[in-house]
Each structure stands twice: as C-alpha cells, then as structure tokens.
Amino acid sequence: MGLFSRLRELIDDDGGGIAVSAPVSGRLVPLASVPDPMFVEGVMGDGFGIWPDDDCVRAPVTGRVTAVIESRHAIGLTAADGTELIVHVGIDTVEMRGVGFSYLVRVGDEVRVGQRLLSFDRGAIRDAGHPDIVVTVFPGTLEGRRLDDLREPGEIAHGERVCVIGRVEG
C-alpha cells in the first residue's frame, strides 16, 4: 500500500472525522452479533467486534493509552481528537485474572495506528470457556458525532479501516 493510500485509510476524506482501524485480523461483525448483552445493548457504547485470527491487539487510532486494568483483558485509548475507545478481549475474561494476557504499553504512552498494545492467548481464553472475540467500543464520547462508513461484516486485516467517527451536521 502506498503512502497516499495509507493516509486515506487514516484520515476521512473530508477532514470531518477520524478513521478507526481493525485492532486485530479476523472476521468483523456488528456489535449486535457480540455474545454479550452489555455490548449488544450498547451499554458500553457503539462499536464493533472481530473474531480474531491472531493474538495481538494493535492500536486502532493514533493517540494515548489512558487505561489498563489488573486483569489485562482490555485497554483504554484516547485518540488525538479526544475520542475515547476501549478494546476488550473476550467475554467474561476478567474472570481469568490476567492469565494469558500481557500489556505491551503503559498508561500515558503515545501510540500510533498499528502499534502492538496487548497480547493474548486465544487457546487459554477458549480453555477457560470464554469466547475470544475482540470488541472495540466508544464509551459515551460520541455526543455530536457518529460512526460513519462502517465496513460490511467479513474478513479484515489489522490496520484496515473499519469506520470513521464523523461529526453530526446541524
């Protein structure tokens, strides 16, 4: 992929939003297909899920790491434009108490799209009886904005654009 193609992937063409890339490679699904009512009902915010083919979460936006938790199954980021997002690995994986998860960054670290953030053991997650879906949500920070250009479900590689956080007109 050329430089200009890559820039188009990262920035919305009209300059009115921020592009969000896939944090893992796998099968992209709508939030309504995630096997957890908290995500399906939008309690955690709008977003998407990916059934992973790999075992490493990469930064879906350029920004700063703003939250890590003791169980190491989720990471919070704030994009350069102030958009907050959470990348959450697995369903009910908090019960694993960090087994099979490793952070590769710390709170306060500046990150770039595609940078490795968190590794996880898909086999350990499945052995513990949990789905290994990776969910990206935007918790309550979309006031005045919306998810635009949400990619159709299907196979996706980490770093490919999933959606744009755009501004609501009016």
Side-chain angles (χ1 to χ4, degrees):
M1 178 181 285
L3 174 63
F4 292 110
S5 297
R6 183 69 181 136
L7 286 173
R8 262 186 249 110
E9 283 285 306
L10 299 176
I11 301 170
D12 187 27
D13 290 339
D14 68 4
I18 184 168
V20 180
S21 299
V24 294
S25 296
R27 187 170 40 92
L28 175 69
V29 297
L31 208 56
S33 296
V34 173
D36 184 322
M38 294 289 284
F39 291 116
V40 170
E41 295 169 10
V43 173
M44 300 291 293
D46 204 355
F48 56 88
I50 299 175
W51 290 101
D53 289 338
D54 58 25
D55 58 2
C56 186
V57 169
R58 292 171 172 81
V61 296
T62 294
R64 179 184 306 268
V65 176
T66 51
V68 296
I69 57 173
E70 190 174 331
S71 57
R72 299 187 296 269
H73 73 284
I75 191 162
L77 303 169
T78 300
D81 77 339
T83 300
E84 296 176 352
L85 60 145
I86 297 169
V87 181
H88 186 282
V89 179
I91 303 300
D92 296 329
T93 47
V94 67
E95 297 170 4
M96 294 176 66
R97 298 188 175 154
V99 173
F101 298 91
S102 296
Y103 283 125
L104 307 172
V105 292
R106 291 182 259 198
V107 169
D109 285 356
E110 296 286 336
V111 296
R112 305 214 29 91
V113 172
Q115 182 175 336
R116 294 168 46 96
L117 304 176
L118 162 67
S119 65
F120 58 98
D121 183 334
R122 293 173 60 212
I125 294 170
R126 287 190 302 269
D127 290 348
H130 305 296
D132 65 355
I133 192 166
V134 176
V135 181
T136 302
V137 292
F138 306 92
T141 62
L142 292 182
E143 292 124 10
R145 295 181 280 174
R146 64 175 182 256
L147 286 183
D148 286 332
D149 300 327
L150 187 59
R151 185 172 168 153
E152 291 293 318
E155 294 302 312
I156 192 165
H158 72 81
E160 291 181 347
R161 186 164 85 176
V162 175
C163 62
V164 173
I165 304 298
R167 291 187 177 82
V168 175
E169 301 283 329

